[in-house]
Amino acid sequence: MSSTYGENLRLTIFGQSHSAAIGVTVEGLPAGFAIDMAALQAFLSRRAPGRDKNSTTRREADVPEFLSGLTGNVTCGAPLTAIIRNTNTRSGDYDELAYKPRPGHADYTGWVKYGESRDYAGGGHFSGRLTAPLCIAGGICLQLLEREGITVRSRIRAVADVTDDAPFTGPVSHKPFPTVSDEAGQAMQQRIAEAKADCDSVGGVVECIVEGLPAGLGDPMFGGMENRIAQAVFGIPAVKGVEFGDGFEAAKLRGSQHNDPFCMEGGRVTTATNHCGGILGGITNGQPLILRAAFKPTPSIGQEQRTVDLRTMENTTLTIHGRHDPCIVHRAVPCVEAAVAIAVYDAFLQRKKEI
Amino acid sequence: MSSTYGENLRLTIFGQSHSAAIGVTVEGLPAGFAIDMAALQAFLSRRAPGRDKNSTTRREADVPEFLSGLTGNVTCGAPLTAIIRNTNTRSGDYDELAYKPRPGHADYTGWVKYGESRDYAGGGHFSGRLTAPLCIAGGICLQLLEREGITVRSRIRAVADVTDDAPFTGPVSHKPFPTVSDEAGQAMQQRIAEAKADCDSVGGVVECIVEGLPAGLGDPMFGGMENRIAQAVFGIPAVKGVEFGDGFEAAKLRGSQHNDPFCMEGGRVTTATNHCGGILGGITNGQPLILRAAFKPTPSIGQEQRTVDLRTMENTTLTIHGRHDPCIVHRAVPCVEAAVAIAVYDAFLQRKKEI
Amino acid sequence: MSSTYGENLRLTIFGQSHSAAIGVTVEGLPAGFAIDMAALQAFLSRRAPGRDKNSTTRREADVPEFLSGLTGNVTCGAPLTAIIRNTNTRSGDYDELAYKPRPGHADYTGWVKYGESRDYAGGGHFSGRLTAPLCIAGGICLQLLEREGITVRSRIRAVADVTDDAPFTGPVSHKPFPTVSDEAGQAMQQRIAEAKADCDSVGGVVECIVEGLPAGLGDPMFGGMENRIAQAVFGIPAVKGVEFGDGFEAAKLRGSQHNDPFCMEGGRVTTATNHCGGILGGITNGQPLILRAAFKPTPSIGQEQRTVDLRTMENTTLTIHGRHDPCIVHRAVPCVEAAVAIAVYDAFLQRKKEI
Amino acid sequence: MSSTYGENLRLTIFGQSHSAAIGVTVEGLPAGFAIDMAALQAFLSRRAPGRDKNSTTRREADVPEFLSGLTGNVTCGAPLTAIIRNTNTRSGDYDELAYKPRPGHADYTGWVKYGESRDYAGGGHFSGRLTAPLCIAGGICLQLLEREGITVRSRIRAVADVTDDAPFTGPVSHKPFPTVSDEAGQAMQQRIAEAKADCDSVGGVVECIVEGLPAGLGDPMFGGMENRIAQAVFGIPAVKGVEFGDGFEAAKLRGSQHNDPFCMEGGRVTTATNHCGGILGGITNGQPLILRAAFKPTPSIGQEQRTVDLRTMENTTLTIHGRHDPCIVHRAVPCVEAAVAIAVYDAFLQRKKEI
């Protein structure tokens, strides 16, 4: 099922941009885990709109209400369901969009798939707003992983043509614009401001690193860490590419350059380099797991665009009004962390069956 | 389960490089479909080793034996199982590898995961040889898709630093080295020959295009065509990145450049460009679906490499003997077609429930 | 996952007896279906407590709130989520039950499985109250099946030692105590009244018949209609047996008595008898599908019972106070219809892929 | 998928009665487990035809060939595949059956579902012969459970109108006709002989007991032990009912009779009785798990029966020739053990994730 992810931990995401609520049900959480609600809220706030000058002015508190699965703040073993009410909706903004599909959006494909009864308002179930429940589930998984000594961190690696190639040593989640190099971050925000001024938008790349992983997570073939993580990360709207370790750059290397030599360090097996991004044969090797996700530029732009009228089946034009992000990459940073945390924790539970 | 793929069509791959046989079971095939066995064998031959001067000298006929699921060559509705016997094995080549994990291979992670009882010979279940049963299942799906007017074609897009940027207009599967530009193909083979001479290897990129797709295949979120295809394609050993449409290049563009304007053509909705690779919101829009997979350089190289001795937990070196490909990208071309065909046919069956 | 059912239609049930809400998410519903909300509410009311003199005095309106998946009352293709707020809870009734497991309930096994953090109030996630969201999903499936000319009807077949062997010709859902024979119904209610007077309870049997089914639904082996339906019906608390057609009586017959002869009727293949309950090899044969589910007597009784104190690990006794049904069989009738409707509609969608 | 079972351990059964081979793939077996091949073969022999005077004269050695998943006799972590070649087939026996469906068999429903291309010979994929691969997987699970101190035993509880109500204390698997009471066994065999003399058949009931189970296996709702086991056991052809503990008899009891009082015994919680069959809320309570499966009489009988001609769509008659069992209940005894062992071991692995 398309709104469901996971074999050992399973989450089901529901809701549309303008439905009564959005939410998530998570099955398979260990019983007896005390969720740090303040930490979870802080994590959710990193994704929430209206946090900085680069984002949409739509503001949603994004405070989850827990309907089930807890006694107090402790998991009780039953499925956990959390919802967020949709309060600040402006459906009037979307009337024209009932018959004029926005380029780069799922309006047209949703119309083909679900017909006239589809919920097009705000993108419906395809909306980026559905990453809020993803972050609820992911935020809980982040805490469960921390208990195991595993951390998941992401940063903006690129926006438009600006890249941040500084080594990803420390955390950046406290920054409103989470790059490692502040200089690169300034240049990126400049690109965003330029795009905004042009009623346009830009894309970018988010990089994620998972540290503290034991060797042995993941499975061969379709159950590899790459497969598991890609399936989760492509669930974030606008992701068009996912790569691990050296990724597409690896294709240009020779084996003698790309192979990571094994060596002993402090009595345990390690590798001298980490071109493979911590994954061999789909299974973690104990080194940091590294991946990058490419985000296309926000499809909602203020310029007039060519489209069709689905009532008359004729060419027409569309100018999108309403509130839109000229760049969603910085807001996508916690979403990537969430998706990766979910995939990693699912693999972690899988591994528990084996040992 | 890690060796299983698909919700509507489900395949389970079994076998190790040097086990009695490798094979695949496919559930959910429509009954009454006559498999073109000659076409299937021709497809399998494109993957088989020993076909050209760039490959390993290990030769396996790779002729599947069908154990179940057919009456004659026609599917009967029961699960189809096909196996290929492993005849030409040289296990003696692998004795040292019981305790010296090869860099870039799954030897070490397999040892961590499965312990001493793992089957390390030839890479065991992690071996590229397991793409043969993938190609059996994929070859059947290719025929099923053809019946629906859907074609899946792949080509070598890059080897090492050489790229083939010629437009992917016609088929290239008849070529032993399937590039569009023969000039680029020559240069790539030159790189492979150079690597071979250096006891080294190279990686590359395979591009795949699916044409004739109806709009409406795929689902939102985790069931998008990107998620489905990535989960299948990362099941091919050595894949380290998957991107759709403009992929990582999309991250550098502006929305006004990347958005594909809708327009009418011959009475139906189409797009003026195809930056999105035929997928919007995870769902096909009727345009060609385009993706690329990055393959790391073959990890088996003839040079001495650093590794560890798992018996003594000390540093040591390893020189891999035996038969190995300096490049597997050209052999991976049908594997990508197979994986994509399986994912697309699974989505096709999913769609049948809806209409 | 244990609170999830279905391959083509998938429902996930969440909530505990005394959590903020209980609910269900249903994925895979066809888009564009107008739910008859009045009919759904009428169906839910058949299950709701406090409807008749035989039931608990706890009253819950059981009016679902739809959070997602609809535009108006029409399915939009996105997952449908409906919740029911828990308003009339009296948790104080349950304090002693934190450490004294009730015989016949899941209190002890829940404590073993989830530990001290389990939600024991009112049975938590194990409560019969969780059949309300089952009935929401099932009520929608009943309407979807009706559109296909398929009806699902249930009746009380037995309570305690009283059986209703009248042929199941017409509907009984309009009766507060849905037997076919009113005389049998009176005798059953007499048994319930006697049990209530003794602070005791009784069990019974619900019979379900599905008519209008096409031949060809269901699959061999683990996907048979028996497997699918049993997996759903055993999800209703207190069910301890499920049988199809002649069921356990079939074990006493000879083949010549049990085999249903095929014959032509009005140009189509039918059977002269229906001992098999409409299922051969797991697949519907076009005859009515018939099953029965055995319900154990309500475990909550007013008599003093032996139990243990989980704090001291010593023997003790327990007298359960609060509101309880001396018989839940009549309230279980729509629950069986719901579970069967879900299983049948899931098989119906499965069949759509094949033809 | 219908020929697949399990979430944590997953088996896929393939083959038809007269295909080249039948077999099973098992994923999720723990690596490093040494299969006792002699014990497995002895288990398979209990199911094999031609073992005693009550069975068909078709003889198949039923010696599995392991194609993958082992190094020697030790599991290596990769999917295990075992096949049995079909050697002793007499397809000529089945020519008339191409168009005359046998009453009580899946011939007609298979024709509806798969059309003319179905494999009807010997019942195809619906054949009882497919319980051989079930027993391979189940026999391995039995050994894995034994390692955990868990035993699974079955016996014939009834044949026709003869029941064996002797307490199920010791093992009976060494008996060719595995009843507890030899006297009852004699009477049952008398019924079989009588049926055979009449060219007829009889049904019966198999009872299964699982001992040594820890409390805490299984999950609420659809993941209960009843649901899991029923889904597996209904996969055995001819099963028409499954009940747990007192089963359908429980429906006749009062709560005060059926509830099992908790009490302390040797420092641990136990129950004074076991009406619930060791399962409360779907979860094991540490008492023996008890179930019964009802088998309909073998549908293949030697008497002339009414059926239809699918070519002309007219009524006709059929007399089945060939080799058939007048009773399959004694051969079904190990099949029930196999199905239950698979379901229990799957739940056992599930539980490992939680603790």
Side-chain angles (χ1 to χ4, degrees):
Chain A
M1 286 292 162
S2 69
S3 304
T4 295
Y5 178 87
E7 290 198 356
N8 304 289
L9 183 94
R10 186 141 64 191
L11 60 109
T12 303
I13 292 176
F14 53 87
Q16 301 110 249
S17 182
H18 291 206
S19 62
I22 56 176
V24 64
T25 296
V26 189
E27 298 174 87
L29 288 171
F33 181 73
I35 299 174
D36 181 334
M37 290 295 180
L40 179 61
Q41 192 61 57
F43 178 69
L44 294 177
S45 299
R46 290 172 53 203
R47 190 215 71 88
R51 188 181 174 225
D52 68 293
K53 66 180 190 292
N54 305 304
S55 301
T56 165
T57 55
R58 175 175 175 181
R59 280 193 155 280
E60 301 271 2
D62 276 3
V63 178
E65 177 190 3
F66 290 88
L67 298 182
S68 69
L70 297 178
T71 49
N73 69 325
V74 179
T75 57
C76 71
L80 179 149
T81 297
I83 62 170
I84 298 172
R85 294 274 168 186
N86 283 323
T87 52
N88 189 4
T89 59
R90 288 165 56 189
S91 289
D93 286 353
Y94 294 96
D95 283 352
E96 189 182 17
L97 306 180
Y99 50 91
K100 286 188 182 177
R102 293 169 297 173
H105 276 283
D107 297 354
Y108 172 66
T109 52
W111 176 78
V112 169
K113 192 171 179 71
Y114 304 123
E116 295 299 340
S117 58
R118 82 207 180 282
D119 183 357
Y120 60 85
H125 191 56
F126 298 93
S127 167
R129 179 144 177 73
L130 272 293
T131 55
L134 180 79
C135 283
I136 296 173
I140 295 170
C141 288
L142 281 168
Q143 295 185 18
L144 285 160
L145 288 171
E146 267 166 38
R147 184 171 69 162
E148 310 293 340
I150 300 166
T151 57
V152 181
R153 294 183 294 128
S154 291
R155 65 146 163 185
I156 304 172
R157 181 65 192 267
V159 164
D161 61 325
V162 183
T163 61
D164 174 7
D165 294 327
F168 194 7
T169 46
V172 297
S173 62
H174 56 287
K175 301 184 183 182
F177 198 85
T179 51
V180 175
S181 156
D182 290 333
E183 195 182 328
Q186 290 300 328
M188 290 174 190
Q189 291 181 78
Q190 181 62 27
R191 289 291 181 283
I192 297 172
E194 291 163 7
K196 189 176 185 179
D198 297 344
C199 296
D200 212 335
S201 65
V202 287
V205 175
V206 173
E207 185 172 62
C208 183
I209 185 166
V210 189
E211 290 166 302
L213 279 171
L217 298 197
D219 296 271
M221 281 200 194
F222 307 114
M225 292 309 297
E226 293 104 334
N227 312 59
R228 292 166 174 271
I229 291 172
Q231 203 197 348
V233 171
F234 276 117
I236 304 169
V239 174
K240 296 301 281 187
V242 174
E243 63 178 12
F244 296 84
D246 286 2
F248 277 85
E249 287 302 308
K252 301 175 185 166
L253 298 179
R254 281 193 165 189
S256 59
Q257 298 169 303
H258 185 267
N259 284 351
D260 301 306
F262 290 109
C263 54
M264 299 303 301
E265 188 180 288
R268 53 186 283 279
V269 177
T270 185
T271 57
T273 53
N274 189 15
H275 295 284
C276 72
I279 310 171
L280 288 171
I283 301 171
T284 57
N285 69 355
Q287 298 308 303
L289 191 159
I290 295 163
L291 70 128
R292 281 172 298 284
F295 287 79
K296 70 180 185 185
T298 321
S300 286
I301 58 177
Q303 300 178 16
E304 184 184 86
Q305 297 182 86
R306 284 187 288 155
T307 187
V308 295
D309 186 320
L310 295 172
R311 300 169 304 179
T312 60
M313 286 296 182
E314 289 176 353
N315 289 326
T316 183
T317 60
L318 171 71
T319 304
I320 304 174
H321 304 290
R323 306 154 299 187
H324 300 289
D325 290 337
C327 181
I328 53 94
V329 177
H330 50 298
R331 289 183 57 200
V333 167
C335 301
V336 172
E337 289 177 16
V340 171
I342 290 162
V344 168
Y345 192 67
D346 187 57
F348 178 85
L349 289 178
Q350 174 73 20
R351 179 67 175 148
K352 284 191 72 176
K353 292 187 291 200
E354 300 168 7
I355 48 178
Chain B
M1 286 293 162
S2 69
S3 303
T4 294
Y5 178 86
E7 289 197 356
N8 304 290
L9 183 92
R10 186 140 66 189
L11 59 111
T12 304
I13 291 175
F14 53 87
Q16 301 109 250
S17 182
H18 291 206
S19 61
I22 56 177
V24 64
T25 296
V26 189
E27 298 173 85
L29 289 171
F33 181 73
I35 299 173
D36 181 335
M37 290 295 181
L40 179 62
Q41 192 61 58
F43 178 70
L44 294 176
S45 299
R46 289 172 54 202
R47 191 214 70 89
R51 188 182 175 223
D52 69 295
K53 67 178 189 293
N54 304 307
S55 300
T56 166
T57 55
R58 176 176 175 181
R59 281 193 156 280
E60 301 270 2
D62 277 2
V63 178
E65 177 191 3
F66 290 88
L67 298 182
S68 69
L70 298 178
T71 49
N73 68 324
V74 178
T75 56
C76 71
L80 179 148
T81 297
I83 63 170
I84 298 171
R85 294 274 169 185
N86 283 324
T87 52
N88 189 6
T89 60
R90 289 165 55 188
S91 289
D93 286 353
Y94 294 97
D95 282 351
E96 191 182 15
L97 305 181
Y99 51 91
K100 287 188 182 178
R102 293 168 298 173
H105 276 282
D107 298 354
Y108 172 66
T109 51
W111 176 78
V112 169
K113 192 171 180 70
Y114 303 123
E116 295 298 340
S117 58
R118 81 206 180 283
D119 182 358
Y120 59 86
H125 190 56
F126 298 93
S127 168
R129 180 147 177 70
L130 272 293
T131 54
L134 180 78
C135 283
I136 296 173
I140 295 170
C141 287
L142 282 168
Q143 295 184 19
L144 284 159
L145 288 171
E146 268 168 38
R147 185 170 67 162
E148 311 292 340
I150 300 166
T151 57
V152 181
R153 294 183 295 127
S154 291
R155 64 146 164 185
I156 304 172
R157 181 65 191 266
V159 164
D161 61 325
V162 183
T163 61
D164 175 8
D165 294 327
F168 194 7
T169 46
V172 297
S173 62
H174 57 285
K175 300 185 182 182
F177 198 84
T179 50
V180 175
S181 156
D182 290 333
E183 195 181 329
Q186 290 299 328
M188 290 175 189
Q189 291 181 76
Q190 181 62 26
R191 289 291 182 281
I192 298 172
E194 290 163 7
K196 189 177 186 179
D198 295 344
C199 296
D200 213 334
S201 66
V202 288
V205 175
V206 173
E207 186 172 63
C208 183
I209 185 166
V210 188
E211 289 166 302
L213 279 171
L217 298 197
D219 297 88
M221 279 200 195
F222 307 113
M225 293 308 297
E226 293 103 335
N227 311 59
R228 293 165 174 271
I229 290 173
Q231 202 197 350
V233 170
F234 275 118
I236 304 170
V239 173
K240 296 301 282 186
V242 174
E243 62 178 10
F244 295 84
D246 286 2
F248 277 85
E249 287 301 310
K252 301 176 186 166
L253 298 180
R254 281 193 165 189
S256 59
Q257 297 169 303
H258 185 266
N259 282 352
D260 302 305
F262 290 108
C263 54
M264 300 303 301
E265 187 180 290
R268 53 186 283 277
V269 176
T270 184
T271 57
T273 53
N274 189 15
H275 294 284
C276 73
I279 310 171
L280 287 171
I283 301 171
T284 57
N285 69 354
Q287 299 308 302
L289 190 160
I290 295 163
L291 70 127
R292 282 171 299 284
F295 287 79
K296 71 180 184 184
T298 321
S300 287
I301 58 175
Q303 299 179 16
E304 185 183 86
Q305 296 182 85
R306 284 187 289 154
T307 186
V308 295
D309 187 320
L310 295 173
R311 299 170 305 180
T312 60
M313 286 297 182
E314 288 176 353
N315 289 326
T316 184
T317 60
L318 170 72
T319 304
I320 302 173
H321 305 289
R323 306 152 300 187
H324 300 290
D325 290 338
C327 182
I328 52 94
V329 177
H330 49 299
R331 289 183 58 200
V333 167
C335 301
V336 172
E337 290 178 14
V340 171
I342 290 162
V344 169
Y345 193 67
D346 188 56
F348 179 85
L349 290 178
Q350 175 72 21
R351 180 68 175 146
K352 284 190 72 176
K353 292 187 290 200
E354 300 168 6
I355 49 179
Chain C
M1 286 293 161
S2 69
S3 303
T4 294
Y5 178 86
E7 290 197 355
N8 303 290
L9 183 93
R10 187 141 63 189
L11 59 109
T12 302
I13 291 175
F14 54 86
Q16 301 108 252
S17 182
H18 292 207
S19 61
I22 56 177
V24 64
T25 296
V26 189
E27 298 173 87
L29 289 172
F33 181 73
I35 299 174
D36 181 334
M37 290 294 180
L40 179 62
Q41 192 61 57
F43 178 69
L44 294 176
S45 300
R46 289 172 53 202
R47 191 215 69 89
R51 186 181 176 227
D52 69 295
K53 66 180 188 293
N54 304 304
S55 298
T56 166
T57 55
R58 175 176 176 180
R59 280 194 155 280
E60 300 270 2
D62 276 3
V63 178
E65 177 191 2
F66 290 88
L67 298 182
S68 67
L70 297 178
T71 49
N73 69 325
V74 178
T75 56
C76 70
L80 178 148
T81 297
I83 63 170
I84 298 172
R85 294 274 168 186
N86 284 323
T87 51
N88 187 5
T89 61
R90 289 165 55 189
S91 290
D93 286 353
Y94 294 96
D95 283 351
E96 191 182 15
L97 306 181
Y99 51 91
K100 287 188 181 178
R102 293 169 297 172
H105 275 283
D107 297 354
Y108 172 65
T109 52
W111 176 77
V112 170
K113 192 171 179 72
Y114 304 122
E116 296 299 340
S117 58
R118 80 206 181 282
D119 183 358
Y120 60 86
H125 191 56
F126 298 94
S127 168
R129 179 144 176 73
L130 273 293
T131 55
L134 180 78
C135 283
I136 297 173
I140 296 170
C141 287
L142 282 168
Q143 295 185 18
L144 285 160
L145 288 171
E146 266 167 39
R147 184 170 69 163
E148 310 292 340
I150 300 167
T151 57
V152 181
R153 293 184 294 127
S154 291
R155 65 145 162 188
I156 304 172
R157 180 64 191 267
V159 164
D161 60 325
V162 184
T163 60
D164 175 5
D165 295 326
F168 195 6
T169 45
V172 297
S173 62
H174 58 287
K175 302 185 183 182
F177 197 85
T179 51
V180 175
S181 156
D182 290 333
E183 195 182 329
Q186 290 299 327
M188 292 174 188
Q189 291 181 76
Q190 181 62 27
R191 289 290 182 282
I192 297 172
E194 291 163 7
K196 189 177 184 179
D198 297 343
C199 295
D200 212 335
S201 66
V202 288
V205 175
V206 173
E207 186 172 65
C208 183
I209 185 166
V210 188
E211 290 167 301
L213 278 171
L217 298 198
D219 297 270
M221 279 199 196
F222 308 114
M225 291 309 297
E226 293 103 335
N227 312 59
R228 292 166 175 272
I229 290 173
Q231 202 198 348
V233 170
F234 276 118
I236 303 169
V239 174
K240 296 302 280 187
V242 175
E243 62 178 12
F244 296 85
D246 285 2
F248 277 85
E249 287 301 307
K252 301 175 185 167
L253 299 180
R254 281 193 164 189
S256 59
Q257 299 169 303
H258 185 267
N259 282 352
D260 301 305
F262 289 109
C263 55
M264 299 303 302
E265 189 180 286
R268 54 186 283 278
V269 178
T270 183
T271 57
T273 53
N274 189 15
H275 294 285
C276 73
I279 310 171
L280 288 171
I283 300 171
T284 57
N285 70 355
Q287 299 307 302
L289 190 158
I290 295 164
L291 70 128
R292 281 172 298 283
F295 286 80
K296 70 179 185 185
T298 321
S300 286
I301 58 176
Q303 299 179 15
E304 185 183 88
Q305 297 181 85
R306 284 187 288 156
T307 187
V308 295
D309 186 319
L310 295 172
R311 298 169 305 180
T312 60
M313 286 298 182
E314 289 176 354
N315 289 326
T316 185
T317 61
L318 171 71
T319 304
I320 302 173
H321 305 290
R323 307 151 300 186
H324 300 290
D325 291 337
C327 181
I328 53 94
V329 177
H330 50 299
R331 290 182 58 201
V333 167
C335 301
V336 172
E337 289 177 15
V340 171
I342 290 162
V344 169
Y345 193 67
D346 188 56
F348 178 85
L349 290 178
Q350 175 73 20
R351 180 66 175 148
K352 284 190 71 176
K353 292 188 289 200
E354 300 168 7
I355 48 180
Chain D
M1 286 291 162
S2 69
S3 304
T4 294
Y5 178 85
E7 288 197 357
N8 304 289
L9 183 93
R10 187 142 64 189
L11 59 110
T12 303
I13 291 176
F14 53 86
Q16 301 110 252
S17 182
H18 291 206
S19 62
I22 56 177
V24 64
T25 296
V26 189
E27 297 174 86
L29 290 171
F33 181 72
I35 298 173
D36 181 334
M37 289 295 181
L40 179 61
Q41 192 62 57
F43 178 69
L44 294 177
S45 299
R46 289 172 55 204
R47 191 215 69 89
R51 186 180 174 225
D52 69 295
K53 66 180 188 293
N54 303 305
S55 299
T56 167
T57 55
R58 176 175 174 180
R59 281 192 154 281
E60 301 270 2
D62 277 1
V63 178
E65 177 190 2
F66 290 89
L67 298 183
S68 69
L70 298 178
T71 50
N73 69 324
V74 179
T75 56
C76 71
L80 179 148
T81 298
I83 63 170
I84 299 172
R85 293 275 169 185
N86 284 324
T87 52
N88 189 6
T89 60
R90 289 166 55 190
S91 289
D93 286 352
Y94 294 96
D95 282 352
E96 191 182 14
L97 306 182
Y99 51 91
K100 287 188 182 178
R102 294 168 298 172
H105 276 282
D107 297 354
Y108 172 66
T109 52
W111 176 78
V112 169
K113 192 171 178 70
Y114 303 123
E116 296 298 340
S117 57
R118 80 207 181 281
D119 182 359
Y120 59 85
H125 191 56
F126 298 94
S127 168
R129 181 148 176 69
L130 272 294
T131 55
L134 180 78
C135 283
I136 296 173
I140 295 170
C141 288
L142 281 168
Q143 296 184 18
L144 285 160
L145 288 171
E146 267 167 39
R147 185 169 68 162
E148 310 292 340
I150 300 166
T151 57
V152 180
R153 294 183 294 127
S154 291
R155 65 145 162 186
I156 304 172
R157 181 67 191 266
V159 164
D161 60 326
V162 184
T163 60
D164 175 7
D165 294 328
F168 195 7
T169 47
V172 297
S173 63
H174 58 287
K175 301 184 182 182
F177 197 85
T179 51
V180 174
S181 156
D182 290 334
E183 196 181 329
Q186 289 300 327
M188 291 175 189
Q189 292 181 77
Q190 182 62 26
R191 288 292 181 281
I192 298 172
E194 290 163 7
K196 189 177 185 178
D198 296 343
C199 294
D200 212 334
S201 66
V202 288
V205 175
V206 173
E207 185 172 64
C208 183
I209 185 166
V210 188
E211 289 167 302
L213 279 171
L217 298 198
D219 297 270
M221 281 202 192
F222 307 114
M225 292 308 298
E226 294 103 334
N227 312 59
R228 292 165 173 271
I229 291 173
Q231 202 197 350
V233 171
F234 276 117
I236 304 170
V239 174
K240 295 303 280 185
V242 174
E243 62 177 12
F244 296 84
D246 286 2
F248 278 85
E249 288 301 308
K252 302 175 184 166
L253 299 179
R254 281 192 165 190
S256 59
Q257 298 169 304
H258 185 266
N259 282 352
D260 302 304
F262 290 108
C263 54
M264 299 303 302
E265 187 179 287
R268 52 186 285 278
V269 178
T270 184
T271 58
T273 52
N274 189 15
H275 295 284
C276 73
I279 310 171
L280 288 170
I283 301 171
T284 58
N285 69 355
Q287 299 307 302
L289 190 159
I290 296 164
L291 69 128
R292 281 170 300 282
F295 286 80
K296 70 181 185 184
T298 321
S300 287
I301 58 175
Q303 299 178 15
E304 186 184 86
Q305 296 181 86
R306 284 187 288 154
T307 187
V308 294
D309 186 320
L310 295 172
R311 298 169 305 181
T312 60
M313 286 296 181
E314 289 176 352
N315 290 326
T316 183
T317 61
L318 170 72
T319 304
I320 303 173
H321 304 290
R323 306 153 298 187
H324 300 289
D325 290 337
C327 181
I328 52 94
V329 177
H330 50 298
R331 290 182 58 200
V333 167
C335 301
V336 172
E337 289 178 15
V340 171
I342 290 163
V344 169
Y345 193 67
D346 187 57
F348 178 85
L349 290 178
Q350 174 73 20
R351 179 67 175 148
K352 284 190 71 176
K353 290 187 291 200
E354 300 168 7
I355 49 180

